[in-house]
Amino acid sequence: MNVIVVMSDSFRRDHVGAFGNPWIKTPNLDRFASQSTVFPQYRIGSYATIPIRTDLFTGRFCHAERPWQPLKPDDVVLAEILQRKGVSTYLAGDTPHIFRMGLTFMRGFDA
């Protein structure tokens, strides 16, 4: 089984063809979505780069108690769960905050 989580706070879902946009061309995302399980009604619990990643990685709403900080040592994160099951994990991104040493968001990723 392959698990790929695509998360972006840089574009809107209504700008992707797979979610109904007829005039902005996103053929690679459309093809990927057609072969995947998508969650079109998904809503974020937090906002801004670090809080939403904390929510996504831990599966918990965290913004109210810790809006912009590293993962806590006792946080259970998705990548670590998958890694323990033998799933290769990889994190790619263009937001430097997520890769800062000390924020601990790379926890559980092989690369």
Side-chain angles (χ1 to χ4, degrees), residues 14 61 63-64 91-92 94 96 100:
D14 63 341
F61 174 65
H63 184 72
L91 176 64
D94 64 354
R100 280 193 190 147

Side-chain angles (χ1 to χ4, degrees), residues 44-47 51 54-56 58-66:
I44 62 170
S46 297
Y47 54 89
T54 302
D55 289 0
L56 181 68
T58 65
R60 298 174 48 214
F61 174 65
C62 298
H63 184 72
E65 67 181 69
R66 49 184 169 152

